[in-house]
Amino acid sequence: WAFTSPEDLKNAQLESALDTAIPLENPLSEKNALMRPSLIPSVLNVASSNIRNGRKSLQIYELAPVYTQEKDKEDASQNDVLTIAISGDRAANHWSQTTANADLFDLKGYLEDTASYLSGTELKFVACSNPTYAPGECAEIHAKGNVIGYLGRASRNVAKAYDIDQDLYIAEIHIKSLLQKKAKHAKFQAVPEHPASLRDIAVVVDEAIATGDMLTSAQKAGGKLLQRVDIFDIYTGKQVPEGKKSVAFSLSFQSHERTLTDQDTDKAWNKILKTLQHQYQAELR
């Protein structure tokens, strides 16, 4: 059904959506009084039903239109939305692997793979506050500079309203922006003949600084010799000052034309450090 109820929207902490929801003149019932402005209540109901019936490991998605109408305007809009919900074990129990609970990073990975497959679009995730999601576990989803959705862990109030007693992670994105261009064909290149130079760098910054922003800055500062940069450790504790965190990066430098010298690598490494110091007041650990 393409309908929902005011109660469902309130239970999902989507009261703001009531302002743009389209009421039906002759609804089938109170539970079908509105054209749905979001798919989140739908996947919450599906998750709740499965969990009550003993299926606690879930990977749910729904791709369907939602409907909105601005106040005092006759024209309504219809947008295709992809909503994903995951919970419980990441994979089925099997002797060959250890089990682990699905988390926010699994959901983030699904979205990144979907965007890459559909259009080659790179998504950016920016921490935010949203009543549907738990504090500190919510992010806006950006594509090409526009906010196209949200992801996060369902808040305690939302989970309680839907009788869900386990962590549930939800994402909802407007998919139109990911369908406006075709993905580029994959291009293959030969394995480099020259060895990579591997370095690490660990810095101490304010705890509030987004590590994703630091990663982007390091990538830009590293230049063409920096082939890969990853965050392999984030630490807060006795060994760093209160209100600070240690962020450690692994760096891989490589050239397709020649073997790099220590001077080449040191120059790029120092540029990354200076960028982090300038932009984030980072201190080398």
Side-chain angles (χ1 to χ4, degrees):
W1 295 101
F3 312 129
T4 190
S5 68
E7 181 184 7
D8 249 346
L9 292 176
K10 290 177 181 177
N11 286 340
Q13 300 292 303
L14 292 167
E15 284 94 339
S16 60
L18 289 169
D19 295 333
T20 56
I22 303 171
L24 298 177
E25 290 185 359
N26 298 295
L28 298 173
S29 68
E30 291 182 3
K31 291 185 177 181
N32 298 290
L34 305 172
M35 299 294 290
R36 62 187 177 196
S38 169
L39 297 182
I40 290 178
S42 175
V43 298
L44 283 167
N45 279 313
V46 171
S48 178
S49 176
N50 276 270
I51 290 170
R52 287 197 308 270
N53 284 281
R55 288 197 63 88
K56 295 183 177 292
S57 295
L58 307 171
Q59 294 177 324
I60 304 164
Y61 80 91
E62 185 168 356
L63 177 60
V66 298
Y67 311 88
T68 56
Q69 184 177 36
E70 297 297 329
K71 279 189 175 181
D72 304 321
K73 291 185 179 180
E74 293 185 2
D75 294 337
S77 62
Q78 174 180 319
N79 292 290
D80 289 327
V81 168
L82 171 66
T83 303
I84 302 172
I86 61 174
S87 187
D89 290 339
R90 180 176 291 136
N93 291 336
H94 195 268
W95 62 267
S96 65
Q97 59 187 0
T98 57
T99 59
N101 287 336
D103 59 25
L104 203 58
F105 295 99
D106 294 300
L107 189 57
K108 178 174 176 282
Y110 291 151
L111 294 171
E112 288 172 329
D113 285 349
T114 300
S116 177
Y117 176 78
L118 291 176
S119 62
T121 300
E122 184 175 344
L123 301 180
K124 184 177 180 182
F125 301 86
V126 179
C128 69
S129 297
N130 185 308
T132 300
Y133 302 103
E137 295 185 70
C138 172
E140 291 176 341
I141 305 167
H142 292 234
K144 304 170 190 173
N146 299 314
V147 178
I148 65 168
Y150 296 86
L151 86 161
R153 179 171 65 84
S155 72
R156 183 177 301 174
N157 290 336
V158 170
K160 183 178 180 181
Y162 285 88
D163 197 24
I164 295 172
D165 59 358
Q166 60 190 60
D167 289 342
L168 180 76
Y169 300 90
I170 306 172
E172 184 168 66
I173 61 172
H174 287 262
I175 200 127
K176 182 179 179 181
S177 61
L178 304 181
L179 299 173
Q180 291 176 342
K181 69 172 185 177
K182 293 183 179 179
K184 296 179 181 178
H185 291 294
K187 293 183 179 180
F188 298 89
Q189 61 186 25
V191 176
E193 297 179 1
H194 306 283
S197 177
L198 306 179
R199 295 285 185 90
D200 292 341
I201 185 170
V203 294
V204 176
V205 295
D206 288 340
E207 201 168 359
I209 290 175
T211 52
D213 292 342
M214 296 175 65
L215 185 67
T216 300
S217 296
Q219 288 171 329
K220 291 180 180 178
K224 64 179 182 179
L225 295 181
L226 181 63
Q227 298 300 312
R228 185 178 178 88
V229 54
D230 294 297
I231 296 172
F232 70 86
D233 184 57
I234 299 175
Y235 173 77
T236 57
K238 295 181 179 179
Q239 297 179 18
V240 296
E242 187 176 350
K244 301 281 187 177
K245 64 183 174 183
S246 170
V247 183
F249 300 87
S250 61
L251 310 169
S252 176
F253 301 95
Q254 194 169 33
S255 170
H256 291 276
E257 290 82 29
R258 59 187 176 85
T259 299
L260 297 179
T261 64
D262 288 341
Q263 186 177 4
D264 293 325
T265 306
D266 289 343
K267 185 177 179 180
W269 188 93
N270 283 319
K271 189 174 181 181
I272 293 171
L273 175 60
K274 288 179 179 179
T275 298
L276 296 176
Q277 289 173 331
H278 175 70
Q279 294 186 2
Y280 307 104
Q281 291 72 54
E283 297 178 4
L284 186 64
R285 188 178 179 194

